[in-house]
C-alpha cells in the first residue's frame, strides 16, 4: 500500500520560534497533499490543500502567513509554523493523494508542543 | 450541507460482540464514503470504503451498510477484539474535493 511519512514525529519548541514539518510520499507521486490539525479527542480539521508546484489553498480561518505550506515536488510537502505560540500546540497530520482522486493516504502525524 | 454526523461518540463492547457506528450526511453529491481507524498518537488509516451504487461492502470482519435514500451509512465490526479499540471516523467526499469527516467514535472492546 501507499506509504506517507512525516518528520519529525514530535517536536517541542519555544514560543516565538518557527517549526518545519515534512511530509513525504515514499512509493508514489502525490499530486495533491493535505494538511490537517487535530486537537485531543476531536476530529481532523483540514488546514490547507496543496498541489505540486502551485500555491496552497487554505481553509477559512487558517492564517496563511502563519502556516506556510510548500509542495515543491511530487513527493514532498512542508508545513512551517511561524512564530509558534502555545495555542498552536496540536497534532498535525498530512495526507497525500496520487492517481485516484478519492484515495488519501495519511502520514503518522507530528505532535507539536510549544512551550 | 457539508457536514457528516457520526454517532455514538463513544462505544463499549465486549470481546466477540458487534460494534456498530452510524453516520448521516446531507450532501447528495457525495460519492465516496470511507471509514478510517486511528490509534492514539497515530495518523488515520483507511479501513474500508464504499460508493453509493452498492448497499453493502464487506472486508473480513468489517462491513459498511449504505442506505442512499436515508443518506446514512454504518460500520459494523463483527467479533470485536480488544485490538479493535481505537477511534473510528466516517468521512464523505465528492470527486476531486476534500474529505469531510465525522466527529469520531471512540471504541473500547473489553476482554
Amino acid at each position: 500500500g501507499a506509504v506517507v511519512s512525516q518528520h519529525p514525529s514530535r517536536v517541542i519548541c519555544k514560543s516565538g520560534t518557527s517549526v518545519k514539518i515534512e511530509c513525504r510520499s515514499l512509493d508514489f507521486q502525490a499530486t495533491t497533499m493535505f494538511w490537517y490539525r487535530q486537537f485531543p479527542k476531536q476530529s481532523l480539521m483540514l488546514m490547507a490543500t496543496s498541489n505540486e508546484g502551485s500555491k496552497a489553498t487554505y481553509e477559512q480561518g487558517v492564517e496563511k502567513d502563519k502556516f506556510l505550506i510548500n509542495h515543491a515536488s511530487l513527493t514532498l510537502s512542508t508545513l512551517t509554523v511561524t512564530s509558534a505560540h502555545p495555542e498552536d500546540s496540536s497534532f498535525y497530520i498530512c495526507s497525500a493523494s496520487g492517481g485516484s482522486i478519492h484515495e488519501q493516504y495519511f502520514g503518522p502525524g507530528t505532535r507539536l508542543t510549544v512551550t | 450541507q457539508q457536514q457528516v454526523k457520526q454517532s455514538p461518540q463513544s462505544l463499549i463492547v465486549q470481546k466477540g460482540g458487534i460494534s456498530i457506528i452510524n453516520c448521516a450526511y446531507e450532501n447528495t453529491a457525495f460519492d465516496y464514503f470511507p471509514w478510517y481507524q486511528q490509534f492514539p498518537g497515530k495518523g488515520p488509516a483507511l479501513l474500508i470504503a464504499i460508493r453509493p451504487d452498492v448497499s453493502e461492502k464487506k472486508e473480513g470482519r468489517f462491513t459498511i451498510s449504505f442506505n442512499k435514500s436515508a443518506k446514512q451509512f454504518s460500520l459494523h465490526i463483527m467479533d470485536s477484539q480488544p485490538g479493535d479499540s481505537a477511534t473510528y471516523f466516517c468521512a464523505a467526499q465528492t470527486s476531486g474535493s476534500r474529505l469531510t469527516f465525522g466527529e469520531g467514535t471512540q471504541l473500547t472492546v473489553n476482554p
Side-chain angles (χ1 to χ4, degrees), chain A residues 8-28:
Chain A
S9 58
R10 60 178 62 228
V11 57
I12 301 172
C13 70
K14 292 188 183 296
S15 187
T17 61
S18 295
V19 172
K20 181 184 283 189
I21 303 170
E22 291 185 350
C23 176
R24 292 182 186 272
S25 57
L26 298 185
D27 51 3
F28 68 102

mmCIF file of all heavy atoms in Angstrom, chain A residues 8-28:
data_model
loop_
_atom_site.group_PDB
_atom_site.id
_atom_site.type_symbol
_atom_site.label_atom_id
_atom_site.label_comp_id
_atom_site.label_asym_id
_atom_site.label_seq_id
_atom_site.Cartn_x
_atom_site.Cartn_y
_atom_site.Cartn_z
ATOM 1 N N PRO A 8 9.414 15.804 11.912
ATOM 2 C CA PRO A 8 9.631 14.811 12.959
ATOM 3 C C PRO A 8 8.309 14.219 13.453
ATOM 4 O O PRO A 8 7.245 14.718 13.090
ATOM 5 C CB PRO A 8 10.303 15.638 14.054
ATOM 6 C CG PRO A 8 9.700 17.002 13.896
ATOM 7 C CD PRO A 8 9.497 17.187 12.411
ATOM 8 N N SER A 9 8.388 13.214 14.294
ATOM 9 C CA SER A 9 7.172 12.626 14.852
ATOM 10 C C SER A 9 6.667 13.465 16.025
ATOM 11 O O SER A 9 5.462 13.513 16.288
ATOM 12 C CB SER A 9 7.426 11.188 15.307
ATOM 13 O OG SER A 9 8.475 11.156 16.263
ATOM 14 N N ARG A 10 7.595 14.080 16.709
ATOM 15 C CA ARG A 10 7.197 15.019 17.754
ATOM 16 C C ARG A 10 8.275 16.088 17.906
ATOM 17 O O ARG A 10 9.453 15.833 17.660
ATOM 18 C CB ARG A 10 6.933 14.338 19.095
ATOM 19 C CG ARG A 10 8.082 13.581 19.716
ATOM 20 C CD ARG A 10 7.670 13.013 21.070
ATOM 21 N NE ARG A 10 6.582 12.064 20.985
ATOM 22 C CZ ARG A 10 5.499 12.086 21.766
ATOM 23 N NH1 ARG A 10 5.357 13.004 22.682
ATOM 24 N NH2 ARG A 10 4.567 11.180 21.637
ATOM 25 N N VAL A 11 7.834 17.295 18.235
ATOM 26 C CA VAL A 11 8.770 18.406 18.372
ATOM 27 C C VAL A 11 8.274 19.332 19.472
ATOM 28 O O VAL A 11 7.071 19.579 19.597
ATOM 29 C CB VAL A 11 8.953 19.147 17.030
ATOM 30 C CG1 VAL A 11 7.626 19.647 16.475
ATOM 31 C CG2 VAL A 11 9.946 20.287 17.149
ATOM 32 N N ILE A 12 9.231 19.801 20.248
ATOM 33 C CA ILE A 12 8.949 20.790 21.291
ATOM 34 C C ILE A 12 9.739 22.039 20.959
ATOM 35 O O ILE A 12 10.939 21.953 20.698
ATOM 36 C CB ILE A 12 9.347 20.265 22.685
ATOM 37 C CG1 ILE A 12 8.582 18.977 23.004
ATOM 38 C CG2 ILE A 12 9.072 21.325 23.756
ATOM 39 C CD1 ILE A 12 9.049 18.284 24.274
ATOM 40 N N CYS A 13 9.078 23.162 20.921
ATOM 41 C CA CYS A 13 9.791 24.393 20.600
ATOM 42 C C CYS A 13 9.341 25.509 21.539
ATOM 43 O O CYS A 13 8.296 25.410 22.195
ATOM 44 C CB CYS A 13 9.557 24.799 19.148
ATOM 45 S SG CYS A 13 7.902 25.375 18.795
ATOM 46 N N LYS A 14 10.138 26.545 21.586
ATOM 47 C CA LYS A 14 9.812 27.688 22.437
ATOM 48 C C LYS A 14 8.901 28.656 21.686
ATOM 49 O O LYS A 14 8.960 28.768 20.451
ATOM 50 C CB LYS A 14 11.087 28.395 22.875
ATOM 51 C CG LYS A 14 11.950 27.591 23.834
ATOM 52 C CD LYS A 14 13.093 28.430 24.374
ATOM 53 C CE LYS A 14 14.002 27.621 25.268
ATOM 54 N NZ LYS A 14 13.280 27.152 26.473
ATOM 55 N N SER A 15 8.083 29.337 22.436
ATOM 56 C CA SER A 15 7.180 30.322 21.869
ATOM 57 C C SER A 15 7.956 31.368 21.076
ATOM 58 O O SER A 15 8.998 31.854 21.520
ATOM 59 C CB SER A 15 6.393 30.992 23.002
ATOM 60 O OG SER A 15 5.402 31.845 22.490
ATOM 61 N N GLY A 16 7.484 31.675 19.886
ATOM 62 C CA GLY A 16 8.138 32.672 19.049
ATOM 63 C C GLY A 16 9.048 32.098 17.981
ATOM 64 O O GLY A 16 9.440 32.804 17.048
ATOM 65 N N THR A 17 9.376 30.829 18.104
ATOM 66 C CA THR A 17 10.241 30.204 17.103
ATOM 67 C C THR A 17 9.389 29.574 15.998
ATOM 68 O O THR A 17 8.170 29.481 16.106
ATOM 69 C CB THR A 17 11.136 29.130 17.737
ATOM 70 O OG1 THR A 17 10.305 28.104 18.297
ATOM 71 C CG2 THR A 17 12.009 29.731 18.830
ATOM 72 N N SER A 18 10.064 29.152 14.914
ATOM 73 C CA SER A 18 9.372 28.513 13.793
ATOM 74 C C SER A 18 9.727 27.038 13.729
ATOM 75 O O SER A 18 10.825 26.640 14.096
ATOM 76 C CB SER A 18 9.758 29.196 12.476
ATOM 77 O OG SER A 18 9.301 30.531 12.465
ATOM 78 N N VAL A 19 8.798 26.257 13.267
ATOM 79 C CA VAL A 19 8.984 24.811 13.192
ATOM 80 C C VAL A 19 8.560 24.323 11.807
ATOM 81 O O VAL A 19 7.506 24.726 11.307
ATOM 82 C CB VAL A 19 8.123 24.087 14.255
ATOM 83 C CG1 VAL A 19 8.166 22.590 14.061
ATOM 84 C CG2 VAL A 19 8.591 24.450 15.643
ATOM 85 N N LYS A 20 9.385 23.463 11.209
ATOM 86 C CA LYS A 20 9.060 22.907 9.906
ATOM 87 C C LYS A 20 8.748 21.425 10.036
ATOM 88 O O LYS A 20 9.493 20.674 10.673
ATOM 89 C CB LYS A 20 10.216 23.089 8.918
ATOM 90 C CG LYS A 20 9.912 22.530 7.517
ATOM 91 C CD LYS A 20 11.116 22.628 6.598
ATOM 92 C CE LYS A 20 11.327 24.034 6.095
ATOM 93 N NZ LYS A 20 12.357 24.088 5.028
ATOM 94 N N ILE A 21 7.657 21.007 9.421
ATOM 95 C CA ILE A 21 7.244 19.604 9.406
ATOM 96 C C ILE A 21 7.257 19.121 7.965
ATOM 97 O O ILE A 21 6.708 19.787 7.075
ATOM 98 C CB ILE A 21 5.832 19.435 10.010
ATOM 99 C CG1 ILE A 21 5.786 19.981 11.436
ATOM 100 C CG2 ILE A 21 5.419 17.965 9.988
ATOM 101 C CD1 ILE A 21 4.373 20.064 12.014
ATOM 102 N N GLU A 22 7.869 17.971 7.741
ATOM 103 C CA GLU A 22 7.950 17.415 6.393
ATOM 104 C C GLU A 22 6.965 16.272 6.208
ATOM 105 O O GLU A 22 6.742 15.472 7.113
ATOM 106 C CB GLU A 22 9.363 16.896 6.112
ATOM 107 C CG GLU A 22 10.416 17.972 5.998
ATOM 108 C CD GLU A 22 11.763 17.388 5.592
ATOM 109 O OE1 GLU A 22 11.910 16.155 5.578
ATOM 110 O OE2 GLU A 22 12.673 18.185 5.281
ATOM 111 N N CYS A 23 6.412 16.198 5.022
ATOM 112 C CA CYS A 23 5.512 15.114 4.651
ATOM 113 C C CYS A 23 5.998 14.539 3.331
ATOM 114 O O CYS A 23 6.144 15.273 2.348
ATOM 115 C CB CYS A 23 4.089 15.646 4.520
ATOM 116 S SG CYS A 23 2.871 14.436 3.947
ATOM 117 N N ARG A 24 6.268 13.239 3.317
ATOM 118 C CA ARG A 24 6.783 12.605 2.105
ATOM 119 C C ARG A 24 5.927 11.420 1.700
ATOM 120 O O ARG A 24 5.528 10.606 2.548
ATOM 121 C CB ARG A 24 8.219 12.109 2.332
ATOM 122 C CG ARG A 24 9.236 13.201 2.516
ATOM 123 C CD ARG A 24 10.647 12.625 2.699
ATOM 124 N NE ARG A 24 11.599 13.678 3.013
ATOM 125 C CZ ARG A 24 12.251 14.390 2.113
ATOM 126 N NH1 ARG A 24 12.040 14.166 0.823
ATOM 127 N NH2 ARG A 24 13.103 15.336 2.477
ATOM 128 N N SER A 25 5.682 11.306 0.405
ATOM 129 C CA SER A 25 5.081 10.088 -0.134
ATOM 130 C C SER A 25 6.235 9.215 -0.582
ATOM 131 O O SER A 25 7.068 9.633 -1.379
ATOM 132 C CB SER A 25 4.140 10.418 -1.300
ATOM 133 O OG SER A 25 4.822 11.122 -2.311
ATOM 134 N N LEU A 26 6.310 8.009 -0.036
ATOM 135 C CA LEU A 26 7.510 7.184 -0.213
ATOM 136 C C LEU A 26 7.477 6.319 -1.465
ATOM 137 O O LEU A 26 8.526 6.004 -2.021
ATOM 138 C CB LEU A 26 7.714 6.307 1.022
ATOM 139 C CG LEU A 26 7.936 7.053 2.331
ATOM 140 C CD1 LEU A 26 8.260 6.078 3.459
ATOM 141 C CD2 LEU A 26 9.044 8.091 2.196
ATOM 142 N N ASP A 27 6.313 5.908 -1.897
ATOM 143 C CA ASP A 27 6.277 4.965 -3.014
ATOM 144 C C ASP A 27 5.269 5.349 -4.085
ATOM 145 O O ASP A 27 4.857 4.500 -4.888
ATOM 146 C CB ASP A 27 5.987 3.551 -2.500
ATOM 147 C CG ASP A 27 4.765 3.514 -1.594
ATOM 148 O OD1 ASP A 27 4.124 4.566 -1.415
ATOM 149 O OD2 ASP A 27 4.462 2.430 -1.069
ATOM 150 N N PHE A 28 4.875 6.619 -4.101
ATOM 151 C CA PHE A 28 4.004 7.085 -5.160
ATOM 152 C C PHE A 28 4.169 8.594 -5.300
ATOM 153 O O PHE A 28 4.690 9.261 -4.403
ATOM 154 C CB PHE A 28 2.540 6.723 -4.885
ATOM 155 C CG PHE A 28 1.920 7.468 -3.717
ATOM 156 C CD1 PHE A 28 1.066 8.539 -3.925
ATOM 157 C CD2 PHE A 28 2.187 7.094 -2.400
ATOM 158 C CE1 PHE A 28 0.490 9.217 -2.861
ATOM 159 C CE2 PHE A 28 1.626 7.763 -1.334
ATOM 160 C CZ PHE A 28 0.767 8.827 -1.567
#
